[in-house]
Amino acid sequence: GESVGLHLPTLSVQEGDNSIINCAYSNSASDYFIWYKQESGKGPQFIIDIRSNMDKRQGQRVTVLLNKTVKHLSLQIAATQPGDSAVYFCAEGGNTGTASKLTFGTGTRLQVTL
Amino acid sequence: KAGVTQTPRYLIKTRGQQVTLSCSPISGHRSVSWYQQTPGQGLQFLFEYFSETQRNKGNFPGRFSGRQFSNSRSEMNVSTLELGDSALYLCASSFSILYEQYFGPGTRLTVT
């Protein structure tokens, strides 16, 4: 499969537990943020996004929290399942209100143990 | 609805050659972006096209170029290939520049 990073931080979580993946971003003017999941050999898969006028957004089993004061983004996955094992990337859009020209973080590998 | 498709999936080229990669966006999507993914540099933005016009460009040399056709399909070209161009090249499409991007499976380019 595709290696997306040889020295990624890894989060190990037991099946059924909640996972929290953190991300720090650099551009205080960014107003769009997005989380992707990438499985080995596949392209990134959209999970959830959030704009800077919100501090929380919920999807199916996932919640994204945005703290603009400290430039921090987190992804919470409820009741983690083996299929959630993947590399998770946060990305920020520019300060133009667009969702394009994404700047990606380095990624976090989530390992779900049985 | 079919996802983003990229062709070819795998490619092996020699230094100095050029290569063209193709991307077909999700039906109805008019914005196409290209990214390069390597273990060392991660995911990096190459360029974005919307309605056949390049709207944004990343920090890559002029050897990297692209275009978009009237049906929103896009191609990217890399000339005078270098070993460091070996990477997974990902295409993403979105309805417009205001909406989330959906990625294709990528083209794995190996330069020898």
Side-chain angles (χ1 to χ4, degrees), chain A residues 25 28 33 52 54-55 66-73:
Chain A
Y25 63 92
S28 58
F33 305 88
S52 59
M54 303 173 70
D55 52 22
L66 174 62
N67 186 330
K68 295 180 287 293
T69 302
V70 296
K71 294 188 287 186
H72 184 268
L73 196 64

Side-chain angles (χ1 to χ4, degrees), chain A residues 34-66:
Chain A
I34 189 167
W35 281 96
Y36 284 97
K37 168 188 179 183
Q38 188 172 26
E39 298 173 281
S40 183
K42 298 183 179 180
Q45 175 188 350
F46 170 78
I47 301 174
I48 192 168
D49 60 358
I50 189 169
R51 295 195 183 268
S52 59
N53 60 350
M54 303 173 70
D55 52 22
K56 179 179 179 179
R57 192 173 185 208
Q58 290 183 288
Q60 188 175 13
R61 277 202 311 122
V62 295
T63 300
V64 56
L65 298 177
L66 174 62

Side-chain angles (χ1 to χ4, degrees), chain B residues 4-55:
Chain B
V4 178
T5 58
Q6 293 186 244
T7 57
R9 291 293 312 279
Y10 302 92
L11 206 49
I12 300 175
K13 289 287 187 178
T14 305
R15 267 184 306 175
Q17 288 185 314
Q18 74 164 14
V19 67
T20 299
L21 312 181
S22 181
C23 170
S24 292
I26 293 171
S27 178
H29 285 193
R30 297 168 62 191
S31 174
V32 174
S33 297
W34 289 88
Y35 294 82
Q36 181 196 66
Q37 185 173 32
T38 59
Q41 299 297 317
L43 274 151
Q44 292 186 292
F45 172 79
L46 278 158
F47 27 66
E48 179 206 3
Y49 288 87
F50 183 78
S51 293
E52 302 177 67
T53 301
Q54 187 181 90
R55 295 185 59 93

Side-chain angles (χ1 to χ4, degrees), chain A residues 77-89:
Chain A
I77 304 173
T80 311
Q81 302 168 359
D84 295 328
S85 293
V87 177
Y88 288 79
F89 292 96

Side-chain angles (χ1 to χ4, degrees), chain B:
Chain B
K1 187 184 264 190
V4 178
T5 58
Q6 293 186 244
T7 57
R9 291 293 312 279
Y10 302 92
L11 206 49
I12 300 175
K13 289 287 187 178
T14 305
R15 267 184 306 175
Q17 288 185 314
Q18 74 164 14
V19 67
T20 299
L21 312 181
S22 181
C23 170
S24 292
I26 293 171
S27 178
H29 285 193
R30 297 168 62 191
S31 174
V32 174
S33 297
W34 289 88
Y35 294 82
Q36 181 196 66
Q37 185 173 32
T38 59
Q41 299 297 317
L43 274 151
Q44 292 186 292
F45 172 79
L46 278 158
F47 27 66
E48 179 206 3
Y49 288 87
F50 183 78
S51 293
E52 302 177 67
T53 301
Q54 187 181 90
R55 295 185 59 93
N56 282 300
K57 191 176 190 305
N59 297 322
F60 279 81
R63 299 185 297 107
F64 292 81
S65 63
R67 60 176 174 169
Q68 186 180 34
F69 302 95
S70 59
N71 61 358
S72 294
R73 191 177 69 85
S74 177
E75 290 181 346
M76 68 163 281
N77 184 78
V78 188
S79 62
T80 320
L81 283 165
E82 301 176 0
L83 294 178
D85 296 334
S86 293
L88 181 68
Y89 289 89
L90 292 157
C91 167
S93 77
S94 61
F95 179 71
S96 79
I97 58 175
L98 298 176
Y99 292 85
E100 67 274 12
Q101 297 180 36
Y102 292 89
F103 281 82
T107 293
R108 180 66 171 153
L109 172 66
T110 301
V111 182
T112 61

